[in-house]
């Protein structure tokens, strides 16, 4: 029996990653906090992966007392403060010990930690400055590799709902055929640019009139730069909040199809949306009044108020 | 040594009882005869348990929290990273109206997996100067203590309330250590235990407790990784 666990152990780091995953879940994709928590989670997961071999691999090896500490002994040096290796070094070690963790994965980690540093050490909102779809699928892909290495899963880290979404994202990322959409976009762009300016103006006006907010999520067409529409499917359960005049329901949507009335560009499938740079989730917001939302039968309520007292049958 | 049937019963019920000679053998000798006693620097190998008033004991123990009232269902050292595997309780002086309660953990925990594996808790107080994250259900054992474990976050709070409700609705086995030398061996990794309240007049009850890492003849060698 043992009261404590080493703070540099695989289990300690993985438990921390689980705690941070729960924090991440409280925010929507586009929130800066979502990105920040993801970077803290990823750091703990990378450390868990090298600690899975030995906690000694987490130690800052510039001072051997850190290695001694990692192995469970208490150095005699006075005022000793244990120090772990810099995360960039730990990423390099992860690349060595985990066969499936490639240079591409390592580069993603370094960039993601650089964003975290930008968020923490500067006044800029580093995670608001980039689209979520430019990093989230890669984030899940890296997590998946590291989790398998330490004999865990996306499910054990994120829970079933998010792990299914993560697997979708990873599959979309790995869909090589989806990249052909770039060729399709280029072809539409060439055709668009060959049109007369009058024709372009007419088409743009038609698109603006047809693509109203309640028909879908409005975006800019990557081929002709006119207003176009994205349709999506629910990415997670809707969240409700009560406001003064009713209930607001916010539903995070994962983009599934694109259509542009101006140039005729159309395609569907999340992997193509991702390859086209249109993979960011969006939020569909609905307002309900309380009577409508809770399906209150007003007529019945009023009739009940008008019944005589002691009306027993 | 425990018989094959004894070990089988323990796997099935979470505990087994057996008789020993209170004169011929000490509790530590009994423990050595059935397995490997656990040792820890700051804990004596055999602890003497007598009902005590709440006011006379520090609040870091169950006697300090509950005194002569019933002890709620729990696992021992739930706030430790690696709790002891088995608990051996041996009656030294019996009181017939005080019972030890045992509840198999799978009745309570089984339907929450895997959410329960993500729910993070921490010890109420630092352990050896540190806080760390633990889970109610680890890979091959469970832990439960309504007081010594604190939830970290919404998921763990919801899980804690669910488990607490299930325990209150469950019917534990009641075992009476009603003669000197009678023992109960509890699988602390797979069963919860508690104690009924103690009448003031019965405060001569005396039980000795020791912990074991392993039972001889038990082929289940799963270890906490």
């Amino acid at each position: 029996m043992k009261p404590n666990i080493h703070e540099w152990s695989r289990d300690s780091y993985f438990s921390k990653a689980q705690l941070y995953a729960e924090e991440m879940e409280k925010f929507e994709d586009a929130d800066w906090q979502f990105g920040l928590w993801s970077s803290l989670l990823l750091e703990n997961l990378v450390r868990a992966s090298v600690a899975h071999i030995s906690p000694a691999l987490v130690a800052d090896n510039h001072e051997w007392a850190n290695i001694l500490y990692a192995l469970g002994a208490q150095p005699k040096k006075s005022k000793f403060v244990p120090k772990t290796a810099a995360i960039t070094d730990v990423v390099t070690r992860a690349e060595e010990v985990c066969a499936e963790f490639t240079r591409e994965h390592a580069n993603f980690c370094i960039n993601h930690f650089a964003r975290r540093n930008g968020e923490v050490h500067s006044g800029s909102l580093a995670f608001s400055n980039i689209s979520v779809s430019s990093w989230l699928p890669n984030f899940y892909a890296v997590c998946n590799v590291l989790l398998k290495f330490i004999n865990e899963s996306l499910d054990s880290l994120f829970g079933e709902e998010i792990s299914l979404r993560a697997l979708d994202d990873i599959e979309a990322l790995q869909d090589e055929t989806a990249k052909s959409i770039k060729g399709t976009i280029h072809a539409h762009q060439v055709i668009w640019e060959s049109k007369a300016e009058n024709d372009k103006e007419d088409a743009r006006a038609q698109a603006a009139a047809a693509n109203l907010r309640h028909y879908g999520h409005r975006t800019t067409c990557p081929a002709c730069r006119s207003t176009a529409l994205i349709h999506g499917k629910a990415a997670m359960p809707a969240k409700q909040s009560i406001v003064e005049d009713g209930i607001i329901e916010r539903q995070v949507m994962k983009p599934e199809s694109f259509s542009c009335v101006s140039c005729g560009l159309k395609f569907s499938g999340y992997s193509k949306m991702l390859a086209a740079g249109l993979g960011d989730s969006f939020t569909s917001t609905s307002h309900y009044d309380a009577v409508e939302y809770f399906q209150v039968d007003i007529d019945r309520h009023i009739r009940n108020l008008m019944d005589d007292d002691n009306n027993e049958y | 040594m425990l018989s094959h049937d004894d070990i089988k019963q323990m796997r099935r019920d979470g505990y087994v009882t057996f008789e020993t000679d209170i004169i011929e053998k000490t509790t530590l000798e009994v423990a050595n005869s059935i397995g490997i006693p656990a040792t820890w620097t700051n804990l004596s190998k055999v602890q003497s348990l007598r009902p005590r008033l709440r006011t006379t004991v520090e609040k870091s123990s169950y006697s300090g929290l509950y005194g002569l009232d019933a002890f709620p269902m729990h696992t021992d050292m739930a706030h430790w990273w690696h709790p002891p595997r088995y608990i051996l309780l041996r009656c030294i002086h019996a009181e017939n109206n005080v019972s030890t309660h045992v509840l198999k953990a799978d009745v309570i925990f089984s339907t929450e997996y895997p959410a329960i594996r993500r729910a993070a808790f921490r010890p109420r107080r630092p352990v050896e100067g540190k806080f760390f994250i633990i889970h109610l259900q680890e890979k091959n054992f469970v832990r439960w203590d309504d007081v010594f474990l604190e939830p970290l976050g919404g998921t763990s709070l919801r899980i804690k309330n669910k488990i607490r409700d299930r325990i209150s609705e469950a019917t534990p086995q009641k075992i009476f250590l009603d003669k000197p030398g009678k023992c109960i061996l509890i699988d602390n990794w797979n069963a919860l235990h508690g104690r009924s309240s103690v009448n003031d007049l019965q405060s001569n009850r005396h039980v000795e407790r020791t912990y074991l890492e392993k039972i001889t003849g038990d082929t289940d060698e799963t270890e906490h990784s």
Side-chain angles (χ1 to χ4, degrees):
Chain A
M1 54 193 200
K2 206 170 136 191
N4 218 324
I5 181 175
H6 201 294
E7 58 192 351
W8 294 355
S9 67
R10 167 256 192 238
D11 284 350
S12 274
Y13 279 122
F14 179 65
S15 293
K16 201 70 167 301
Q18 285 178 313
L19 192 65
Y20 288 172
E22 195 175 334
E23 289 304 304
M24 211 177 134
E25 243 176 274
K26 291 177 182 172
F27 300 96
E28 289 176 8
D29 293 9
D31 294 335
W32 62 268
Q33 298 95 324
F34 183 82
L36 180 61
W37 282 111
S38 78
S39 66
L40 299 176
L41 181 167
L42 188 60
E43 171 153 356
N44 278 276
L45 201 53
V46 172
R47 290 184 185 274
S49 69
V50 298
H52 184 61
I53 303 296
S54 169
L57 292 177
V58 176
D60 176 0
N61 60 342
H62 291 107
E63 189 177 344
W64 75 272
N66 291 317
I67 298 173
L68 186 62
Y69 177 81
L71 295 172
Q74 186 60 35
K76 289 180 186 171
K77 183 182 167 182
S78 73
K79 293 183 189 172
F80 170 72
V81 176
K83 201 168 164 226
T84 56
I87 190 58
T88 46
D89 288 340
V90 180
V91 169
T92 304
R93 294 172 196 181
E95 212 183 328
E96 279 294 325
V97 305
C98 174
E100 305 288 324
F101 187 73
T102 63
R103 175 53 56 93
E104 200 183 327
H105 295 138
N107 287 340
F108 170 80
C109 288
I110 299 299
N111 287 334
H112 208 52
F113 298 140
R115 278 189 279 274
R116 187 266 313 275
N117 291 344
E119 187 69 50
V120 171
H121 301 301
S122 79
S124 78
L125 289 169
F127 286 102
S128 298
N129 291 340
I130 51 164
S131 76
V132 176
S133 62
S134 69
W135 64 265
L136 189 59
N138 280 294
F139 167 79
Y140 286 137
V142 171
C143 285
N144 197 30
V145 164
L146 295 174
L147 286 163
K148 281 182 181 166
F149 181 67
I150 63 171
N151 301 319
E152 295 287 349
S153 65
L154 288 168
D155 192 38
S156 66
L157 179 60
F158 293 111
E160 188 184 1
E161 211 171 286
I162 295 181
S163 72
L164 289 173
R165 184 191 162 177
L167 287 168
D168 255 355
D169 280 9
I170 294 168
E171 198 181 313
L173 198 63
Q174 291 168 347
D175 183 358
E176 289 296 321
T177 62
K179 290 174 185 166
S180 64
I181 194 61
K182 289 183 180 173
T184 309
I185 292 170
H186 180 71
H188 278 76
Q189 191 177 5
V190 164
I191 295 170
W192 174 260
E193 277 164 9
S194 67
K195 284 187 183 212
E197 201 49 47
N198 284 347
D199 289 339
K200 283 183 190 174
E201 283 303 319
D202 286 344
R204 282 194 195 107
Q206 265 186 349
N211 295 333
L212 299 175
R213 194 187 293 272
H214 53 263
Y215 292 149
H217 179 70
R218 293 190 296 185
T219 189
T220 304
C221 174
C224 69
R225 315 307 298 166
S226 306
T227 303
L229 282 183
I230 289 177
H231 292 97
K233 68 176 183 187
M236 52 186 71
K239 287 183 182 165
Q240 294 83 19
S241 56
I242 297 173
V243 294
E244 202 176 291
D245 59 349
I247 285 111
I248 292 185
E249 190 172 84
R250 292 170 61 86
Q251 175 75 69
V252 174
M253 307 290 282
K254 189 166 173 172
E256 276 295 313
S257 64
F258 170 90
S259 66
C260 177
V261 167
S262 277
C263 67
L265 178 63
K266 267 187 193 179
F267 53 89
S268 64
Y270 178 65
S271 54
K272 286 184 180 165
M273 301 293 290
L274 200 61
L278 297 168
D280 279 2
S281 58
F282 56 92
T283 304
S284 165
T285 306
S286 307
H287 288 81
Y288 300 95
D289 75 33
V291 170
E292 178 189 7
Y293 192 83
F294 293 109
Q295 296 176 342
V296 175
D297 184 343
I298 286 284
D299 289 338
R300 186 176 172 189
H301 181 67
I302 291 170
R303 281 197 303 275
N304 286 342
L305 291 174
M306 290 165 70
D307 281 348
D308 293 337
D309 287 342
N310 299 317
N311 215 9
E312 294 179 15
Y313 294 91
Chain B
M1 191 161 133
L2 291 180
S3 69
H4 177 70
D5 284 344
D6 286 338
I7 292 173
K8 213 167 141 187
Q9 184 193 329
M10 189 169 57
R11 294 272 149 266
R12 187 189 66 222
D13 300 336
Y15 75 94
V16 66
T17 57
F18 55 94
E19 312 280 339
T20 63
D21 189 319
I22 196 72
I23 307 293
E24 295 256 312
K25 280 189 169 168
T26 65
T27 299
L28 190 57
E29 284 166 345
V30 170
N32 275 310
S33 73
I34 63 169
I36 302 173
T39 54
W40 186 249
T41 319
N42 297 334
L43 202 61
S44 57
K45 281 186 180 172
V46 176
Q47 302 99 45
S48 185
L49 307 180
R50 296 174 201 269
R52 291 180 286 179
L53 293 172
R54 198 176 302 169
T55 50
T56 63
V57 189
E58 66 281 356
K59 292 277 184 276
S60 57
S61 70
Y62 264 46
S63 287
L65 292 165
Y66 302 106
L68 302 183
D69 292 342
F71 285 1
M73 301 302 285
H74 65 282
T75 59
D76 272 12
M77 308 299 196
H79 58 294
W80 278 22
W81 169 247
H82 187 142
R85 179 68 205 260
Y86 301 101
I87 307 167
L88 177 67
L89 298 174
R90 188 175 187 230
C91 178
I92 305 300
H93 183 96
E95 291 298 347
N96 293 343
N97 292 331
V98 180
S99 54
T100 300
H101 302 163
V102 180
L103 188 59
K104 196 96 191 297
D106 56 8
V107 167
I108 304 296
F109 286 81
S110 58
T111 58
E112 294 303 320
Y113 198 93
I116 203 172
R117 287 270 292 126
R118 298 179 59 224
F121 289 77
R122 71 161 171 89
R124 180 179 73 155
R125 295 178 183 172
V127 176
E128 297 184 331
K130 288 179 183 166
F131 285 111
F132 46 88
I133 298 170
I134 44 181
H135 305 277
L136 296 184
Q137 183 151 27
E138 301 289 355
K139 280 190 176 127
N140 42 37
F141 72 92
V142 300
R143 62 174 101 236
W144 174 256
D145 194 305
D146 206 351
V147 177
F148 292 170
L149 299 180
E150 285 188 355
L152 291 167
T155 302
S156 39
L157 185 58
R158 276 192 301 276
I159 296 274
K160 181 176 179 173
N161 289 336
K162 266 194 185 176
I163 298 293
R164 190 194 273 148
D165 288 345
R166 287 211 193 120
I167 289 173
S168 68
E169 290 161 8
T171 307
Q173 293 292 312
K174 290 183 184 176
I175 300 99
F176 292 88
L177 294 177
D178 52 4
K179 66 187 220 198
K182 184 168 177 182
C183 296
I184 177 172
L185 180 71
I186 300 170
D187 183 350
N188 193 47
W189 279 14
N190 293 296
L192 283 61
H193 68 279
R195 188 204 70 192
S196 66
S197 58
V198 178
N199 188 305
D200 275 350
L201 298 173
Q202 295 165 337
S203 60
N204 284 329
R205 183 183 195 248
H206 181 197
V207 167
E208 284 188 340
R209 176 184 62 199
T210 189
Y211 294 116
L212 290 98
E213 285 296 352
K214 201 173 156 59
I215 297 299
T216 309
D218 183 7
T219 53
D220 176 12
E221 294 190 354
T222 51
E223 301 221 350
H224 180 27
S225 55

